[in-house]
Each structure stands twice: as structure tokens, then as C-alpha cells.
């Protein structure tokens, strides 16, 4: 493209932005709305993941030790368990600590323990697993192996709780792809239709440019650049509204809902998700324009080119 | 300049718009394409600037076979041809000057040069005072002169006009035809499709008559026959 043609393209873009301001605002607004829904979904999904990660870290296996276990056997047992590939950390809870914990848990009723020997409770190991193993099957497998070890009398873990959590994590992951996919296609269709309307408004201009021999690239370029501007603008607008929504959720949503223990646990979209949203806006704008332009030029110029 | 060999055009499903057309137009000729509505005049012009593709035969324009051209080839062809239509096809949002300059700018001429040439042409066509006016504020004849200026801005080797006087009264039609004659005097090949009997009677140039998609008569070959 010659310099004169480049300058022509940019002048066309500026002229169009000025003259068809409302059409562009409408297109950017539509993109902003659809990207807002998409971004909102990302926001919910990201926070839900954070929440699940938090809940997942609370998954622990409790292995109760035999009363007769010697110090040497304990050390060897600790070494063995720490060497499990699934294990993240192991904490030894002595009989004394278990007794204290129990007393604290009973609170005002702790008087019922009076007269009982303080070593009545067994010592135990609190085992945390690495993130990829915090699922039902792997937790059960580790528990099974622990049961077979010498010095361990009993193994317990919150089976039902882990099962629900596993289902939730898998559900969110699937929802991310299915719902995200649907939303993306819907966004593409809506943006495509809006861009088509904007192109139809300038049908005569395109027809005349074709008749006077304008190269296809020169006809398409202003529309594609406008599409990119609309897309990035729409994405920025959607991010602004998402930020407002986030602030509302963070400071106005009653904590009594009980889902999030503290407001500051709510996180806004990370830089990756923000970049994704802006990139999507850019892509939707440019792609939507090209797609509609192609279809429009084909329909309008059937038998022509 | 233009050569058509056994050219035909059939519109789907099976409507023959042109059948077996042979036609040679020399460089610098002025040709009237006449015939009643539906004779195939517009279709023939459309084949020449590749708005339509011939279904049979070969078409040579300025030494280039235009029967099979890609999008870029069509754009290049149109840059060499000036087109004028009955309905003017001017952009109402642009001034007369901008409408004319647009055709030069899209082929890569600088804005300054495009506007200079557009202004020069509008002045030549008697629209000096109207260069800043929007098309809808101009009379039909003036609009058509703006369209002619646009067709000329890239120094075309060929000007094709489809019923250029169709929307004009007799005086304006006469005036518009005189503009075409002036362009022709400078050596540009011109082909005008018209069914305006008055125009055909007053201007004695080569006449090619079409009827139901067939070439019925050609005054040039008739002259040749008389001469021989």
C-alpha cells in the first residue's frame, strides 16, 4: 500500500468515527456488554478457583499412632510418610498436644475431663497432600497405604467433604470450557451482526470504491481498523464495569452470605485475564469486521469478483 | 481498444441476456449502444468493467483478456476505465470535489494532487462555483457532470456510460452529451448505452444496436458494406 493510500485509510477512519459516532458507540457498547458477561464469568471462575484452592489446602489425613510406639519407630515412620510422593507436609501431634486441643474444643465443658490421665488420647500425624492429589481417589489411596504401616492404629479423613469438593472442582473446570465456549460464540454472533449493520450503513461508499477500482485491501482496511478500535474500547469499557461490579461485591455484598470468610479474599481479574479480555475485544472487532465484510462483499458483489 | 469474440451471458436459471456478440471498437472511437429496455446494453457494459462475468466467449480490453480476472485484476481494469451511470452514484455525505478526488485517492494519488485534479476537472465542466456543494443540492445535470469528472480524474483510456441522460431533461441531456463529445475530442474512447432516440438522432456517431441480447446492426459495418 502506498503512503498516500495509508493516509487515505486513516483519514477514512477518522471521518467515519466522527460521522458515524453513534453507530460506533453502539458497536463498542454491544462488545462491552458481551465482554462484560464473559469477563464476569472469568471473574467468578477465578474467585471460585481461589476458594477451592483454599478449601483444598484444608484437606488432611489423620493417622493415629499406637501407644507403644518408640521414639525411634516414630522417627522412621515420619521419614517414610514424608517420602510419599503425594505428601506435602506432616505434622506430629503429641499426646499432650492432642489433650490440650481436645480441652480447648470442649471449652466450658472441659471440666468433664477432670481426673482423667492426660495421655489417654493417642498421638497422631496430620498429613497434608500436594494440590494434584487432593481428590477422592488419591486421598483414599494414601489413607489405604498408611493403614498398612507398622505403628499406625487408625486412619481418618473427611471422606464426604472431599467427594463434594472434587465434584465442585471438576464441575467448575467443565463449566469454564462449556459456558465459556457458548459465551464466546454468542459474543461473536452478536458482534458480527452489529458490525454488519455498520457496514450496511456504508454500502454505497463500498460500492463506489469498488467501481472506481479501489484495491480490496483499501476498502477493507478502514473497517478492520475501526473494528479493532471498537473492540479494544469495548473491552476497556467492560473491564471498567467489571471493576465496579467487583468493588460492589467486595464492599457491599454482605459477608453473612458466608461463602467468603473475609472480603479481601475476593480477587479482581489477574493480568492474564485482563490481557485475554482486551485481546478478545481486539480479535472480535477485527475478526467480526473481516467476517462481515467478506460475507457482505460476497452477497453484494455476487458474480462480480 | 475493445474486442468481443462470440460473447454470451446467461443469467440463472436460464435467461440469455447476450448471445454470440462480435464487436470491435478502435481506440478513440465514439460508440452508441442502443436498443430497447432488456436488449442487453447494460449487461454488455457490465461485462466490460467486469461487474459481470461472461458465460461464453472472450473479451479483450486494451490488449488484456478480461474474461478471467481475479479481484486485483478487476481493480486494475477499473482504474483504467471511467464509469458514468444514470443514477450518478455520488456519495451524498461528500462535496462534489471530494466525490471526484475519491477516485484518484483510492488508486494512490496524494490528497493534494487528487484535489487539484478534481478542482481542475470541475472547473472545466463548468462547476467551479459548485465544488464545495453536496450532490443533493445540485441539479441532475450538475450531478451528472460531477460523476463525469470523477470518471475522468484518473485519465481513463475508455469511458463507459450507462444511460447517462436517462434522468435528465432534454436540455441537460444535450449539455451532458456535449461534455462527452469534448472528452472524445481529446482522444478518449467512449461507449454510451442509451435508448434515447433524440440523442441518437442528433449525434451521428457509430451506432451498435442490440435486441433481445443479439447484435442487430452496426453502423460501422453497414458503412463498410456500402463503401465496398
Amino acid at each position: 500500500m502506498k503512503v498516500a493510500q495509508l493516509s487515505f485509510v486513516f483519514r477514512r477512519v477518522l471521518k467515519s468515527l466522527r460521522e458515524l459516532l453513534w453507530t460506533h458507540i453502539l458497536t463498542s457498547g454491544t462488545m462491552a456488554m458481551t465482554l462484560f458477561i464473559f469477563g464476569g464469568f472469568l471473574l467468578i471462575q477465578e474467585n471460585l478457583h481461589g476458594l477451592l484452592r483454599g478449601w483444598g489446602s484444608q484437606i488432611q489425613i489423620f493417622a493415629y499412632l499406637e501407644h507403644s510406639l518408640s521414639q525411634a519407630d516414630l522417627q522412621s515412620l515420619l521419614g517414610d510418610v514424608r517420602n510419599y510422593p503425594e505428601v506435602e507436609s506432616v505434622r506430629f501431634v503429641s499426646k499432650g498436644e492432642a489433650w490440650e486441643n481436645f480441652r480447648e474444643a470442649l471449652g466450658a465443658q472441659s471440666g468433664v475431663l477432670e481426673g482423667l490421665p492426660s495421655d489417654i488420647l493417642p498421638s497422631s500425624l496430620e498429613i497434608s497432600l500436594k494440590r494434584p492429589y487432593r481428590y477422592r481417589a488419591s486421598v483414599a489411596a494414601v489413607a489405604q497405604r498408611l493403614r498398612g504401616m507398622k505403628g499406625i492404629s487408625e486412619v481418618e479423613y473427611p471422606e464426604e467433604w472431599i467427594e463434594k469438593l472434587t465434584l465442585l472442582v471438576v464441575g467448575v473446570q467443565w463449566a469454564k470450557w462449556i459456558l465459556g465456549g457458548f459465551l464466546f460464540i454468542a459474543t461473536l454472533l452478536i458482534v458480527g451482526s452489529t458490525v454488519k449493520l455498520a457496514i450496511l450503513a456504508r454500502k454505497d461508499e463500498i460500492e463506489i470504491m469498488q467501481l472506481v477500482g479501489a484495491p480490496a485491501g483499501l476498502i477493507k482496511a478502514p473497517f478492520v481498523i475501526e473494528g479493532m478500535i471498537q473492540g479494544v474500547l469495548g473491552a476497556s469499557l467492560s473491564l471498567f464495569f467489571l471493576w465496579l461490579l467487583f468493588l460492589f461485591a467486595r464492599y457491599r455484598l454482605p459477608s453473612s452470605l458466608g461463602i467468603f470468610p473475609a472480603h479481601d479474599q475476593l480477587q479482581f481479574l489477574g493480568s492474564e485475564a485482563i490481557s485475554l479480555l482486551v485481546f478478545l475485544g481486539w480479535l472480535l472487532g477485527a475478526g467480526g469486521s473481516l467476517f462481515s465484510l467478506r460475507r457482505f462483499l460476497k452477497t453484494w458483489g455476487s458474480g462480480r469478483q | 481498444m475493445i474486442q468481443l469474440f462470440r460473447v454470451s451471458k446467461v443469467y440463472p436459471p436460464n435467461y440469455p441476456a447476450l448471445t454470440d456478440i462480435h464487436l470491435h471498437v478502435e481506440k478513440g472511437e465514439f460508440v452508441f449502444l442502443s436498443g430497447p429496455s432488456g436488449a442487453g446494453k447494460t449487461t454488455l457494459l457490465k461485462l466490460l468493467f467486469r461487474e459481470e462475468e461472461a458465460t461464453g466467449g472472450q473479451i479483450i480490453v486494451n490488449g488484456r483478456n478480461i474474461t478471467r480476472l481475479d479481484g486485483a485484476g478487476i481493480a486494475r481494469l477499473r482504474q483504467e476505465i471511467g464509469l458514468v451511470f444514470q443514477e450518478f452514484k455520488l456519495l451524498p455525505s461528500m462535496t462534489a470535489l471530494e466525490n471526484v478526488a475519491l477516485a484518484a485517492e483510492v488508486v494512490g494519488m496524494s490528497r493534494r494532487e487528487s484535489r487539484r485534479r478534481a478542482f481542475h476537472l470541475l472547473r472545466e465542466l463548468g462547476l467551479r462555483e459548485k465544488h464545495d456543494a453536496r450532490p443533493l443540492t445540485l441539479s441532475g445535470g450538475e450531478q451528472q457532470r460531477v460523476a463525469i469528472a470523477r470518471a475522468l480524474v484518473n485519465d481513463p483510456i475508455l469511458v463507459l456510460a450507462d444511460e447517462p441522460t436517462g434522468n435528465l431533461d432534454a436540455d441537460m441531456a444535450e449539455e451532458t452529451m456535449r461534455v462527452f463529445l469534448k472528452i472524445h475530442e481529446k482522444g478518449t474512447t467512449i461507449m454510451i448505452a442509451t435508448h434515447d432516440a433524440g440523442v441518437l438522432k442528433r449525434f451521428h456517431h457509430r451506432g451498435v444496436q442490440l435486441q433481445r441480447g443479439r447484435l442487430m446492426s452496426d453502423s460501422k459495418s453497414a458503412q463498410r458494406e456500402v463503401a465496398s
Side-chain angles (χ1 to χ4, degrees), chain B residues 161-172:
Chain B
D162 190 9
E163 303 281 4
T165 58
N167 278 345
L168 307 178
D169 61 33
D171 287 347
M172 282 195 179

Side-chain angles (χ1 to χ4, degrees), chain A residues 98-114:
Chain A
W99 178 257
E100 276 310 307
N101 288 345
F102 191 42
R103 265 167 55 96
E104 265 175 43
L106 284 176
Q109 278 84 43
S110 61
V112 298
L113 299 176
E114 263 176 48

Side-chain angles (χ1 to χ4, degrees), chain B residues 16 34 40 50 78 80 96 114 119 156 189 192 197 199 202 212 225:
Chain B
S34 66
R50 271 304 305 273
R78 289 182 187 172
E80 295 173 0
S114 308
F119 185 74
T189 311
I192 296 178
V199 165
R202 281 194 304 282
R212 288 189 190 152
E225 275 166 29

Side-chain angles (χ1 to χ4, degrees), chain A residues 2 4-5 8 11-12 15 19 204-205 207-216 218 302-305, chain B residues 49-53 71 74-75 78-79 83 85 89 91 94 102-103 105-111 150:
Chain A
K2 295 176 189 170
Q5 284 171 314
F8 172 79
R11 267 185 290 118
R12 302 290 316 146
K15 192 174 154 71
E19 286 178 359
D204 292 343
E205 189 183 319
E207 182 188 355
I208 288 166
M209 283 176 76
Q210 282 193 317
L211 287 175
V212 297
L218 195 80
S302 52
R304 182 170 307 210
Q305 286 187 19
Chain B
F49 65 89
R50 271 304 305 273
E51 171 126 346
E52 298 285 356
E53 203 172 323
I74 293 172
R78 289 182 187 172
Q79 289 171 14
L83 299 171
F85 301 93
K89 290 194 192 283
L91 288 170
M94 290 184 177
L102 174 79
E105 282 187 80
V106 298
V107 302
M109 203 182 285
S110 74
R111 184 167 188 238
R150 183 182 61 195

Side-chain angles (χ1 to χ4, degrees), chain B residues 94-103 105 114-120 122 130-133 146:
Chain B
M94 290 184 177
T95 65
L97 186 86
E98 286 167 343
N99 264 287
V100 178
L102 174 79
E105 282 187 80
S114 308
R115 290 174 80 90
R116 196 189 64 75
R117 287 182 82 146
F119 185 74
H120 174 74
L122 287 172
K130 304 280 178 84
H131 75 275
D132 243 356
V146 174

